[in-house]
Amino acid sequence: MLPPEFLQWFASRGWQPRAHQLALLDHAARGESVLLVAPTGGGKTLAGFLPTLIDLAGRHAFKLSASRAGRSRKSSLHTLYISPLKALAVDVARNLDAPIAEMNLAVMVETRTGDTSAARRQRQRHTPPDILLTTPEQLGLLLAHPRAPQMFENLKTVVLDELHALANSKRGDLLALGLARLSTLAPGHRRVGLSATVKDPAPLQRFLMPQPMEGEALSAIVIAKGGAKPRIEISASDSYVPWAGHLARHAMLDVMAAIHDAKTALIFVNTRSQAERTFQELWAVNDSNLPIALHHGSLAIEQRRKVEAAMARGALRAVVCTSTLDLGIDWGAVDKVICIGAPKGAARLVQRIGRANHRLDEPSAALLVPANRFEVLECHAARDAVLAGELDGERQKAGGLDVLAQHVLGTACAAPFDATALFMEVRSASPYAHLTREDFDAVVEFVATGGYALRRYDRYARLRKNDQGRYRLAHPRLAQEYRLNAGVIVEDPMVEIRLQSKGRPAGAGGRKLGELEEYFIEQLSPGDTFVFAGDVLRFEGLRETGAFVTKTSDPNAQIPSYNGGKFPLSTFLAQRVREMVSAPEGWHKLPEPVQEWLKIQEWRSVIPKPGQLLVETFPRGNRHYLVCYPFEGRLAHQTLGMLLTRRLERGRYHPLGFVANEYALAVWAAKDMSSEKDGGNANMDALFDEDMLGDDLDNWLAESNLYKRTFRNCAIIAGLIQRRFPGKEKSSRQVTFSSDLIYDVLREHEPDHVLLRATYQDAGTGLLDIARLGDMLARVKKRIVTRRLDRVSPLAVPALLEISREMVAGAVDEAILHENEDALIRDAMRVE
């Protein structure tokens, strides 16, 4: 039951405590860890903090004014809140201020992120607030400090917000290891997980609990009542739907009309480059001069906070944003979400839609804007899944050995450790519940010496044993290097973008606009123009303090390309798209151009049934093409393309290249790759056999730049390669050179090295998506349908358009490119 002052506070706002909020109070009273699964707008965050606020109110029964005058108690951390986003932690802190101030509670709340000043971070270790809101990376740094036992000794509660977005990832691994450490430092604390609706909550329940050596432990669970069904519209013209592309330029007037009709709109895109381009396209048609802003992770923190504050005041009509605003942030003025491009997953769509009308009992409104014909199918599949209450599931992965290596070094930074005790602690973390002692010892040996192949080099000796047999740091400087390099988000080296001050010498001063990847800046020459932070900028030069720019205008300005940030098409949504394509009776729901596209495909070639793989071959120009349609996402298709071209090369078909998108893979070669002359489907069955994941895969991985990049990321996370040193940072070339050299040494001399095993594990679900490719090959075995055509099919057009754009980028006039595209489309849609 709520105390009287809390009941009065709810009543003053016209609220009633929800059943799931009261249920969390009951679990808190029993000291139980619990997972709350609730839809957006259900008051999850308040439910997570209510037990803390009530407990603190009872402990400090004096007014806030008195506490500010001087506390009569020793400061101690009561509740630790972990958020996947810095912006979310800041937003939650702002939302907590209201009940604390309105009930006059003597409770101190602070945030701790990468943007927190060094002085405040230092003070928080010695005089922590009652409630600290932070991120998994900052928790790792706090636990790696010698004062960690004192800071966390009185910890009562850990609140894990948006747990579904963290758990099954490397950041989740880091968080799980941090929770295991907290179980040692504060054995009496309990955990509260807050999650959006998920297909299977059991992995999250395990994540919350220390796992026993045998069996498993699950937290309690509270499932909130579902809210109102969202209203989801799909913008698609019956006169024109693009064949390819990701920018949806054709629909910008429709998007602007939706902004006009809304009070405030969030416009989600899937990448930072899309955000910049979409902002420019919208501004070009913003005849009413509506206040529209831009928000993504590369912008300066001051700019992002300015946008967030303007949104909180209701001063903006729209914000173009990326996943930086996906999670949990509550802006009551937002009444419409617009998604440019397909969402790539039903759960992600639910999350984004929930940003509108952040209230459980009112429907959220969303507009999906597909950028091409395949995305029309994907948007319809995602909408149908959401309205049916069906969500994506995830393949659960084991904890990364590279993340464990970082944690081992961080543990040594705090104090010498006993290997057996640390092994038991690590095993209690859900992602590492099945870690063997052999693998753990190999990780510790790697952290201590670098492993068998590297132990002769002193630079890799990071741990030593003391007289008690405990592992300690080999040198005190390693603690500082750890603090500079800790974390599992590996980004390319960044360069600050500074707006050159008028009337001042080049390179003098300049307001920081944000940061861009070093590799992009290195390609620029003075005078080149590019789009960033919502403006067209002219590159003036590179100085020690960053890249200096001036504002200009240029309709042909470049859009920076950013590594990362592209979401793969989920397995669940891919299956729904395949089912939609194979069901002609449902095509009438689609726009007329998309219906025509599929009908001519059915007449000219074939529509594959669910579970089948369609493979088409046809000539065009002086080349021969093979196009298949697995619908398994770009990453899996790229790996398939690499492996197929190796096989085709052995068959002397002389493959010349391939291109992959989310839905299809196209290979072109000098010779005809059709199967009919070699025995029909038997040839394709052999070409797509699962055995390509054996020797073909191993041989390709040995020379694959993508695999080497995966190794580089693992080596950085594990601390073998350091990007940052006091006062300086390695360039991307230096990092790549170091990692490639170590990679070659380990493959030759220690092929079972911890980092090589971590790399292979990552390749299964990361840049190469080998696990998903293996599932697909097994699914289509003996179910391959081939068609030998005399010309390109309608379904193949989007893939071939990507080929033409990749092959001629920057080499020909845009008008010539459009002329070639028009000719391709005419050939595909010709029905005689």
Side-chain angles (χ1 to χ4, degrees):
M1 185 65 182
L2 284 173
E5 62 267 37
F6 284 81
L7 282 172
Q8 291 170 11
W9 179 77
F10 270 87
S12 71
R13 295 207 157 203
W15 296 349
Q16 286 286 336
R18 297 188 183 276
H20 58 269
Q21 293 172 333
L22 296 175
L24 259 63
L25 286 174
D26 292 338
H27 286 289
R30 295 193 292 269
E32 296 173 345
S33 293
V34 59
L35 172 69
L36 171 60
V37 177
T40 299
K44 289 193 298 289
T45 306
L46 182 58
F49 279 108
L50 266 179
T52 290
L53 294 176
I54 291 171
D55 190 30
L56 288 171
R59 293 182 182 212
H60 318 320
F62 49 85
K63 301 299 182 183
L64 182 60
S65 58
S67 72
R68 283 176 173 167
R71 291 191 172 191
S72 60
R73 64 183 179 87
K74 180 183 177 182
S75 177
S76 65
L77 179 62
H78 181 287
T79 293
L80 181 69
Y81 166 92
I82 307 292
S83 158
L85 295 177
K86 292 185 288 186
L88 180 55
V90 172
D91 183 67
V92 169
R94 184 176 66 243
N95 290 338
L96 279 175
D97 285 343
I100 289 172
E102 291 167 13
M103 287 186 281
N104 211 12
L105 303 177
V107 175
M108 180 181 287
V109 179
E110 289 184 350
T111 61
R112 183 188 180 96
T113 71
D115 303 321
T116 304
S117 69
R120 174 170 283 196
R121 291 200 301 266
Q122 175 73 10
R123 193 259 301 153
Q124 286 172 343
R125 290 195 191 96
H126 296 271
T127 312
D130 298 301
I131 301 172
L132 182 64
L133 301 96
T134 189
T135 62
E137 291 76 17
Q138 288 296 318
L139 174 60
L141 289 170
L142 287 171
L143 291 170
H145 195 275
R147 280 195 56 82
Q150 291 79 19
M151 181 174 185
F152 293 108
E153 62 183 350
N154 295 314
L155 182 70
K156 299 296 185 293
T157 304
V158 177
V159 179
L160 306 170
D161 204 355
E162 307 290 354
L163 184 57
H164 60 283
L166 278 173
N168 197 34
S169 68
K170 289 204 174 191
R171 296 185 78 202
D173 295 344
L174 185 68
L175 176 57
L177 291 167
L179 293 175
R181 191 84 191 114
L182 286 176
S183 289
T184 299
L185 300 179
H189 83 271
R190 68 183 196 92
R191 300 166 188 169
V192 179
L194 308 177
S195 172
T197 306
V198 290
K199 185 174 183 178
D200 179 15
L204 302 183
Q205 291 176 267
R206 285 193 293 271
F207 192 95
L208 288 172
M209 297 294 290
Q211 295 300 301
M213 294 299 286
E214 300 291 338
E216 66 176 16
L218 297 177
S219 74
I221 184 170
V222 172
I223 299 178
K225 180 183 176 183
K229 281 193 175 183
R231 296 195 303 267
I232 307 173
E233 300 174 274
I234 298 175
S235 169
S237 169
D238 276 330
S239 59
Y240 176 71
V241 179
W243 288 80
H246 303 284
L247 296 176
R249 286 194 184 107
H250 70 290
M252 286 300 127
L253 289 175
D254 291 340
V255 173
M256 185 55 68
I259 295 172
H260 270 282
D261 292 341
K263 183 178 179 182
T264 307
L266 282 181
I267 304 168
F268 281 105
V269 296
N270 289 333
T271 68
R272 288 172 283 174
S273 57
Q274 279 181 294
E276 293 282 356
R277 176 63 78 186
T278 299
F279 182 81
Q280 292 293 318
E281 297 284 345
L282 283 175
W283 200 252
V285 296
N286 185 13
D287 297 332
S288 302
N289 204 29
L290 298 179
I292 300 174
L294 177 66
H295 191 290
H296 63 71
S298 287
L299 299 180
I301 181 62
E302 296 82 7
Q303 176 65 17
R304 281 181 275 145
R305 293 292 176 264
K306 184 179 177 181
V307 171
E308 291 159 16
M311 281 292 288
R313 295 194 309 270
L316 296 174
R317 292 294 300 275
V319 176
V320 180
C321 57
T322 60
S323 57
T324 52
L325 298 184
D326 259 4
L327 301 172
I329 297 174
D330 180 9
W331 286 318
V334 175
D335 58 348
K336 174 154 279 190
V337 162
I338 302 170
C339 296
I340 306 291
K344 304 305 172 191
R348 181 173 295 110
L349 179 58
V350 169
Q351 190 75 48
R352 289 182 169 180
I353 290 174
R355 302 304 104 219
N357 284 345
H358 205 87
R359 294 174 288 278
L360 185 65
D361 301 324
E362 298 180 22
S364 299
L367 174 66
L368 309 186
V369 185
N372 58 60
R373 297 184 178 213
F374 272 121
E375 286 196 350
V376 169
L377 301 175
E378 189 181 331
C379 285
H380 276 265
R383 181 186 64 180
D384 293 349
V386 170
L387 295 179
E390 299 176 13
L391 297 176
D392 319 85
E394 279 191 302
R395 184 194 305 269
Q396 296 298 309
K397 67 174 196 64
L401 298 179
D402 51 344
V403 183
L404 177 57
Q406 183 179 125
H407 179 73
V408 167
L409 182 60
T411 302
C413 290
F417 67 84
D418 174 76
T420 298
L422 184 59
F423 171 67
M424 300 294 288
E425 180 181 291
V426 167
R427 275 286 300 264
S428 71
S430 175
Y432 296 91
H434 301 291
L435 179 74
T436 66
R437 182 61 192 257
E438 180 183 8
D439 283 347
F440 175 81
D441 288 341
V443 170
V444 173
E445 178 66 14
F446 157 69
V447 177
T449 68
Y452 169 77
L454 302 176
R455 66 172 59 248
R456 70 187 71 179
Y457 304 103
D458 288 343
R459 78 184 76 168
Y460 302 121
R462 293 180 286 172
L463 301 180
R464 296 273 190 268
K465 279 190 176 182
N466 63 16
D467 294 340
Q468 290 78 42
R470 292 172 172 264
Y471 285 94
R472 61 168 179 83
L473 288 181
H475 193 281
R477 64 174 166 75
L478 292 167
Q480 184 181 17
E481 292 176 3
Y482 171 86
R483 288 193 293 272
L484 289 172
N485 291 279
V488 297
I489 300 175
V490 179
E491 296 177 333
D492 285 321
M494 307 294 282
V495 175
E496 289 188 353
I497 308 300
R498 291 190 171 274
L499 188 64
Q500 188 165 298
S501 303
K502 290 184 178 180
R504 302 189 66 180
R511 177 168 61 90
K512 180 180 175 182
L513 300 178
E515 295 180 328
L516 280 175
E517 273 87 343
E518 178 187 77
Y519 75 86
F520 175 78
I521 297 299
E522 286 179 340
Q523 298 170 22
L524 299 177
S525 299
D528 287 349
T529 59
F530 63 96
V531 175
F532 183 67
D535 288 311
V536 178
L537 305 174
R538 183 181 190 272
F539 178 62
E540 302 294 346
L542 191 62
R543 309 288 188 274
E544 287 185 4
T545 53
F548 283 80
V549 299
T550 54
K551 290 187 179 181
T552 187
S553 59
D554 181 359
N556 298 314
Q558 301 179 60
I559 297 291
S561 58
Y562 301 85
N563 282 336
K566 294 181 180 178
F567 300 115
L569 178 65
S570 73
T571 303
F572 166 78
L573 204 53
Q575 176 62 25
R576 289 194 72 114
V577 173
R578 285 194 295 268
E579 291 171 355
M580 179 178 293
V581 170
S582 67
E585 63 275 11
W587 293 352
H588 66 277
K589 302 175 184 177
L590 303 172
E592 185 61 38
V594 178
Q595 292 184 47
E596 180 188 30
W597 176 51
L598 294 176
K599 288 174 182 176
I600 296 178
Q601 170 69 24
E602 184 178 37
W603 183 82
R604 288 256 346 269
S605 176
V606 69
I607 295 291
K609 294 183 174 62
Q612 292 181 334
L613 175 67
L614 172 61
V615 180
E616 297 175 329
T617 57
F618 51 85
R620 183 166 181 80
N622 59 355
R623 292 191 175 96
H624 297 270
Y625 291 85
L626 181 153
V627 184
C628 60
Y629 308 91
F631 290 86
E632 292 293 350
R634 186 183 298 269
L635 299 179
H637 293 171
Q638 285 176 336
T639 300
L640 177 61
M642 291 290 188
L643 298 176
L644 281 182
T645 51
R646 292 180 73 91
R647 292 193 156 189
L648 291 167
E649 187 64 48
R650 283 203 307 271
R652 299 185 180 180
Y653 290 97
H654 305 300
L656 302 173
F658 73 89
V659 70
N661 60 27
E662 295 285 359
Y663 318 99
L665 167 71
V667 181
W668 61 97
K671 295 178 65 177
D672 184 3
M673 295 172 283
S674 63
S675 62
E676 291 182 11
K677 60 187 176 61
D678 294 319
N681 279 3
N683 185 309
M684 288 300 172
D685 285 337
L687 186 63
F688 285 86
D689 194 274
E690 293 172 272
D691 63 7
M692 74 166 65
L693 298 181
D695 291 342
D696 279 334
L697 177 63
D698 290 340
N699 293 334
W700 173 58
L701 290 181
E703 59 193 43
S704 164
N705 286 328
L706 278 176
Y707 195 68
K708 287 182 178 180
R709 180 177 164 191
T710 302
F711 173 82
R712 182 194 71 188
N713 292 348
C714 288
I716 289 171
I717 291 170
L720 187 68
I721 295 174
Q722 292 163 340
R723 297 165 291 175
R724 304 180 188 94
F725 296 88
K728 60 181 180 179
E729 183 169 342
K730 278 187 177 181
S731 70
S732 58
R733 287 195 187 94
Q734 289 171 320
V735 170
T736 300
F737 177 80
S738 299
S739 66
D740 285 355
L741 189 62
I742 294 171
Y743 174 81
D744 292 338
V745 169
L746 294 183
R747 277 196 66 94
E748 181 176 355
H749 299 289
E750 195 176 355
D752 63 340
H753 191 276
V754 163
L755 282 189
L756 291 179
R757 285 191 279 149
T759 302
Y760 192 85
Q761 179 184 350
D762 269 15
T765 55
L767 289 173
L768 306 180
D769 219 351
I770 293 169
R772 186 165 173 182
L773 175 57
D775 290 345
M776 186 277 290
L777 293 174
R779 172 173 57 83
V780 304
K781 191 170 186 176
K782 303 298 183 184
R783 304 197 69 188
I784 295 175
V785 178
T786 62
R787 286 296 183 271
R788 188 181 188 188
L789 308 174
D790 62 346
R791 63 184 188 275
V792 61
S793 74
L795 217 55
V797 168
L800 265 67
L801 288 178
E802 293 205 27
I803 292 175
S804 66
R805 289 193 171 273
E806 288 199 7
M807 291 180 67
V808 302
V812 299
D813 186 86
E814 191 76 10
I816 298 175
L817 187 60
H818 284 308
E819 184 179 326
N820 292 336
E821 290 179 356
D822 290 344
L824 177 69
I825 293 167
R826 283 196 302 271
D827 277 353
M829 300 297 282
R830 203 170 69 237
V831 294
E832 70 270 11

